[in-house]
Amino acid sequence: MSAENKHFNFYDLVITETTTPKALDKLPPNSITDHMLEIDWTVEKGWGTPQIKPVEPLALDPTSSCLHYATQCFEGLKVFRSRDGKTVRLLRPELNLARLNDSAQRLTLPQFDEQELLKILLKFVSLEARFIKPGSFIYTRPFILGTSTGLGLNATTMAKLIVVLTLMPSLSDKSLKLYSSEPTEAVRAWPTGFGSKKLGANYGPTLKQQLRASADGYDQVLWLYGEQERLVTEAGGSNFMAVLRNKINGNIEIVTCPLDTNLILPGINRRSALEYLRERELDTGVKVLEKRFSIDDLEEAMVEGRLQEAFAIGTAYFVAAVGEIRTPEGKTIHVPVLQTGIVNDLQKHFEDIMYGSKDHPWTVVVLKEK
Amino acid sequence: MSAENKHFNFYDLVITETTTPKALDKLPPNSITDHMLEIDWTVEKGWGTPQIKPVEPLALDPTSSCLHYATQCFEGLKVFRSRDGKTVRLLRPELNLARLNDSAQRLTLPQFDEQELLKILLKFVSLEARFIKPGSFIYTRPFILGTSTGLGLNATTMAKLIVVLTLMPSLSDKSLKLYSSEPTEAVRAWPTGFGSKKLGANYGPTLKQQLRASADGYDQVLWLYGEQERLVTEAGGSNFMAVLRNKINGNIEIVTCPLDTNLILPGINRRSALEYLRERELDTGVKVLEKRFSIDDLEEAMVEGRLQEAFAIGTAYFVAAVGEIRTPEGKTIHVPVLQTGIVNDLQKHFEDIMYGSKDHPWTVVVLKEK
């Protein structure tokens, strides 16, 4: 094994606890917790010692690659405390860490040992568990930065893996209003691009469209792809699913953009929802289809009374009903929001896993009190 | 004028000089100079006081937008000292500053006053002029970072404009070997994407292809676009031009990808070269065409003996002859490298402007000694 592949190890973790812990009763909505995790990598020595330390500004050389060439990728996952307050859990964190490595590889950033990082992450989260209220969550943001200096666009020689934890305002129950992008003007991703990796480069360039949508009173952009095809891909930073009655056989179908388009992020909640819905296909008769569909298909389904439900699904929005979609032509697709439909069933299923008293194969327990 | 539009002013510039200036005789190849320029912006107060100060690490909140969502854009321009040592000049810096504002706008980062920044830049560069040897240059890197905190992907509330100056290894005289990308695998830019802006997001994701090209002994990737069309767009971070004899009328033509494809950066050296070559069209009979052409057109021209020259043109590579191009199929397009052709003429023309004793309408004088 060459030095650049030398991995970090949970047993080397160094913890320096803060001497000024934050008061929980007056934290602003997006506050960071007390500590951060930082692990440095160099091509000469591989990964260094993992350190948990009080949150401090990153001191970056002004020529660092991540500030100029977007050599940066990230993950987002939530840490949940059960309603009874006794258990703190993560949901399928191993999938997030695998995806972080996948994103890093796309940028030629170094690979890390996912199992060791998971062990460190569990320790880190347990240290900050006081920030998580019963029946609530905080947000975990692992990210990797290229920190090579000198402004050359070259192979990565230095990098940092960092994890911070932040509070997040609780979600509104209101159904979402989506604003379709105009694919002749702007696309989020393209088939031979990098839209299926969680790179910083996929986010900043969407702000302009997002702000236009917000200014018009919409919650998120519904990203369409293809001037002719007008494929429905993602809703802001979330995946998108629609529940439709099939035009020919009348069956109820859940449709979502397939991964092989390379246009969408392989969402972990997307995957969990698909697994859950497919397990129940035989019972419910509701088919789950990863297939291409367009904004015009959705509009037609609405006109013909076949559009049953739609929802955004992702870490930030969890499972959020969509009530309205603006088409590129400015027409409104009204989407039914049901009290007891598939969206509600999914929400309840996930909430039981996240906030319930029983463990589930998807959950990894951080802390459990007697 | 709202506070967020409050501009900075040259007359407010605060300069803190280093007490430990670097020794010029032992500087590594990509060294940064002694000082940096930093100007902060907030949505509440607009632009703050411009400060030139000793180079120091940037202290960034670990949740800063530029580290997660690639809210970052930059420029690159060189500062030249004349061969006689007496004059230090910039080449069309106003175009770089206008392009920086254009890139910032694409990311919803704040706009700045280009004329005030130019005045500050001239002062800054003059302070660092000792780093520039006669007949040589240093590199100027202005960049803007979104520094909003809290991990929300929202409207920018904080940003920084920074300028650093670095040394750059002198260019080799060797002709370039280019490695064509396979457009069914990876493309740099998309017509409705952001490849025509100088965003960090356009660079990091190209590293993987660049390293593959390097590993095979090539200097840069020649980015093709379109599975069928296989349009020639850019060579690494530079624009690309080819000199061809027209198949039908036998005229000599210089071709380069047009800006309206939205696939290439509107290079400033590209523009200068086109202006110079067009002024001479009547005398030389060489037509300059911004038009779409493919790697297959180049291959056919080579086979038919019509390929005269090719070159990359940009800030980093200046005007560099291309000697060889690998096609996606692995065939080699051999390109003549002439002692006294169009490439050489362009190089001489630019070098006279950059390093000569006479001023030119394109140059902005930083310093002139008697």
Side-chain angles (χ1 to χ4, degrees):
Chain A
M1 194 171 78
S2 67
E4 67 182 286
N5 296 322
K6 183 185 157 278
H7 282 294
F8 54 77
N9 198 301
F10 170 69
Y11 295 103
D12 297 327
L13 178 62
V14 174
I15 300 175
T16 310
E17 289 199 48
T18 182
T19 53
T20 54
K22 291 183 171 173
L24 293 183
D25 53 349
K26 39 188 165 186
L27 291 172
N30 286 76
S31 295
I32 197 163
T33 62
D34 287 332
H35 302 91
M36 62 193 283
L37 167 70
E38 191 171 338
I39 320 176
D40 285 327
W41 178 92
T42 67
V43 71
E44 292 87 9
K45 298 187 175 172
W47 289 104
T49 306
Q51 302 207 42
I52 291 171
K53 59 185 181 180
V55 168
E56 61 181 13
L58 297 180
L60 293 173
D61 185 288
T63 65
S64 296
S65 162
C66 60
L67 302 176
H68 299 267
Y69 307 127
T71 51
Q72 54 182 248
C73 56
F74 68 95
E75 273 302 320
L77 58 163
K78 288 175 176 170
V79 198
F80 306 93
R81 187 184 286 276
S82 57
R83 291 186 203 95
D84 66 13
K86 290 185 179 168
T87 314
V88 174
R89 301 184 179 102
L90 290 161
L91 198 62
R92 312 187 90 176
E94 68 285 359
L95 298 182
N96 290 93
L97 299 185
R99 193 170 64 178
L100 184 59
N101 253 338
D102 193 38
S103 298
Q105 192 166 48
R106 179 63 182 79
L107 290 173
T108 74
L109 291 171
Q111 297 289 289
F112 62 89
D113 185 315
E114 293 159 23
Q115 293 191 330
E116 291 304 310
L117 186 58
L118 182 55
K119 285 186 250 173
I120 294 167
L121 193 59
L122 293 178
K123 178 71 189 173
F124 179 27
V125 169
S126 71
L127 278 176
E128 304 292 66
R130 71 186 186 94
F131 287 91
I132 321 168
K133 293 179 188 142
S136 182
F137 65 86
I138 61 172
Y139 181 76
T140 307
R141 168 59 59 93
F143 59 113
I144 302 180
L145 301 175
T147 52
S148 312
T149 61
L151 298 183
L153 185 64
N154 301 318
T156 305
T157 56
M158 293 194 284
K160 268 182 199 298
L161 193 165
I162 300 167
V163 185
V164 293
L165 304 176
T166 67
L167 307 193
M168 236 190 196
S170 54
L171 297 168
S172 138
D173 284 342
K174 261 186 48 201
S175 62
L176 297 177
K177 289 175 68 176
L178 303 182
Y179 186 103
S180 299
S181 66
E182 169 53 80
T184 58
E185 266 175 29
V187 291
R188 191 197 79 92
W190 54 91
T192 48
F194 41 86
S196 62
K197 311 294 173 194
K198 211 161 171 71
L199 313 187
N202 285 318
Y203 292 81
T206 68
L207 268 171
K208 201 173 169 176
Q209 301 285 323
Q210 174 58 36
L211 296 186
R212 194 174 71 176
S214 304
D216 279 5
Y218 291 82
D219 297 295
Q220 287 290 336
V221 175
L222 182 66
W223 288 98
L224 306 185
Y225 173 77
E227 296 196 14
Q228 309 299 325
E229 196 178 4
R230 312 211 310 169
L231 206 64
V232 174
T233 64
E234 288 195 3
S238 300
N239 293 121
F240 177 88
M241 301 194 187
V243 186
L244 305 168
R245 196 150 35 72
N246 186 291
K247 197 170 177 166
I248 294 156
N249 59 24
N251 288 343
I252 302 296
E253 294 173 351
I254 300 172
V255 295
T256 194
C257 183
L259 298 180
D260 64 11
T261 55
N262 207 28
L263 293 172
I264 62 165
L265 196 77
I268 290 160
N269 286 353
R270 174 189 185 278
R271 173 172 162 170
S272 297
L274 291 179
E275 286 174 20
Y276 168 71
L277 293 166
R278 279 190 176 132
E279 269 172 24
R280 292 158 45 88
E281 256 182 24
L282 277 182
D283 295 336
T284 59
V286 175
K287 275 228 170 299
V288 184
L289 301 171
E290 291 172 84
K291 70 169 209 178
R292 301 167 87 100
F293 65 98
S294 69
I295 187 76
D296 306 294
D297 293 333
L298 291 185
E299 194 183 341
E300 188 191 58
M302 174 197 68
V303 170
E304 297 176 356
R306 295 184 291 103
L307 182 57
Q308 310 265 308
E309 286 183 278
F311 54 103
I313 181 162
T315 300
Y317 273 92
F318 177 45
V319 179
V322 170
E324 191 180 319
I325 305 170
R326 180 195 185 278
T327 70
E329 290 72 37
K331 286 189 267 182
T332 299
I333 301 177
H334 295 284
V335 189
V337 177
L338 308 180
Q339 292 297 321
T340 55
I342 286 169
V343 173
N344 184 254
D345 178 60
L346 268 174
Q347 286 169 338
K348 280 196 340 214
H349 177 72
F350 273 94
E351 279 168 1
D352 279 349
I353 294 173
M354 299 180 310
Y355 298 119
S357 307
K358 281 195 225 156
D359 295 332
H360 181 278
W362 289 346
T363 57
V364 174
V365 172
V366 178
L367 276 180
K368 190 165 255 179
E369 290 162 24
K370 291 280 155 58
Chain B
M1 194 170 75
S2 68
E4 67 182 286
N5 295 321
K6 183 186 155 276
H7 282 292
F8 53 77
N9 199 300
F10 169 69
Y11 294 102
D12 298 328
L13 178 62
V14 174
I15 300 175
T16 311
E17 288 199 48
T18 182
T19 53
T20 55
K22 290 183 173 173
L24 293 183
D25 54 348
K26 39 189 166 186
L27 291 172
N30 287 76
S31 296
I32 198 164
T33 62
D34 288 330
H35 302 90
M36 62 194 282
L37 167 69
E38 192 171 335
I39 319 176
D40 286 328
W41 178 91
T42 66
V43 71
E44 291 88 8
K45 297 186 175 176
W47 289 103
T49 306
Q51 301 208 41
I52 291 172
K53 59 185 182 182
V55 167
E56 61 181 14
L58 297 181
L60 293 173
D61 186 288
T63 65
S64 296
S65 161
C66 61
L67 302 174
H68 298 267
Y69 307 127
T71 49
Q72 53 182 245
C73 55
F74 69 95
E75 274 301 318
L77 58 161
K78 288 174 175 170
V79 198
F80 306 95
R81 186 184 286 277
S82 57
R83 291 186 203 98
D84 66 12
K86 290 184 179 167
T87 315
V88 174
R89 300 185 181 101
L90 290 160
L91 199 60
R92 312 187 90 176
E94 68 284 359
L95 298 182
N96 290 92
L97 300 185
R99 194 170 62 180
L100 184 58
N101 254 337
D102 193 39
S103 298
Q105 191 167 48
R106 179 63 182 78
L107 291 172
T108 72
L109 291 171
Q111 298 287 290
F112 61 88
D113 184 316
E114 293 159 24
Q115 293 192 331
E116 292 303 310
L117 185 59
L118 182 54
K119 284 186 250 173
I120 294 167
L121 192 60
L122 293 178
K123 178 69 188 175
F124 179 26
V125 169
S126 71
L127 277 176
E128 304 293 66
R130 69 187 187 95
F131 287 92
I132 321 167
K133 293 180 189 143
S136 183
F137 65 86
I138 61 172
Y139 181 76
T140 307
R141 167 60 58 95
F143 59 113
I144 302 180
L145 302 175
T147 52
S148 313
T149 61
L151 298 182
L153 185 62
N154 300 321
T156 306
T157 55
M158 292 194 283
K160 267 181 198 300
L161 193 164
I162 299 167
V163 185
V164 293
L165 304 176
T166 68
L167 306 193
M168 238 192 194
S170 53
L171 297 167
S172 136
D173 283 343
K174 263 184 49 201
S175 63
L176 297 176
K177 291 175 67 177
L178 303 181
Y179 186 103
S180 299
S181 65
E182 169 53 82
T184 58
E185 266 174 28
V187 293
R188 191 196 78 92
W190 196 255
T192 47
F194 41 85
S196 63
K197 311 293 174 196
K198 212 162 173 68
L199 313 187
N202 285 317
Y203 292 81
T206 69
L207 268 170
K208 200 171 172 179
Q209 301 284 323
Q210 175 58 34
L211 296 185
R212 193 173 74 175
S214 304
D216 280 5
Y218 290 81
D219 298 295
Q220 288 290 336
V221 175
L222 183 65
W223 289 98
L224 306 185
Y225 173 79
E227 296 196 15
Q228 309 300 325
E229 195 179 5
R230 313 212 308 168
L231 207 63
V232 173
T233 63
E234 287 194 5
S238 300
N239 293 120
F240 177 87
M241 300 193 187
V243 185
L244 305 166
R245 197 148 38 72
N246 185 290
K247 200 171 178 169
I248 293 155
N249 59 24
N251 288 342
I252 303 296
E253 295 172 350
I254 300 172
V255 295
T256 196
C257 183
L259 298 180
D260 64 12
T261 55
N262 207 28
L263 293 170
I264 62 165
L265 195 76
I268 290 161
N269 285 352
R270 175 189 184 278
R271 171 172 164 172
S272 298
L274 292 179
E275 286 174 17
Y276 168 71
L277 293 165
R278 279 186 177 138
E279 269 172 24
R280 290 158 46 87
E281 258 183 22
L282 276 181
D283 294 337
T284 60
V286 175
K287 274 227 170 303
V288 184
L289 301 170
E290 290 173 83
K291 68 168 211 178
R292 300 166 88 99
F293 64 98
S294 70
I295 188 75
D296 307 291
D297 293 333
L298 291 185
E299 194 182 342
E300 188 191 58
M302 175 198 67
V303 170
E304 297 176 356
R306 296 183 290 105
L307 182 56
Q308 310 265 308
E309 289 184 276
F311 55 102
I313 181 162
T315 300
Y317 273 92
F318 177 44
V319 179
V322 169
E324 193 181 318
I325 305 170
R326 181 194 185 279
T327 71
E329 291 71 39
K331 286 190 268 183
T332 300
I333 300 177
H334 295 284
V335 189
V337 176
L338 308 180
Q339 292 297 320
T340 55
I342 285 167
V343 174
N344 184 255
D345 177 60
L346 267 175
Q347 287 169 337
K348 281 196 341 214
H349 177 72
F350 274 94
E351 279 168 1
D352 279 350
I353 294 172
M354 298 179 312
Y355 298 119
S357 307
K358 280 194 228 157
D359 296 330
H360 182 278
W362 288 346
T363 56
V364 173
V365 173
V366 177
L367 276 180
K368 191 164 255 183
E369 291 164 22
K370 291 282 155 60

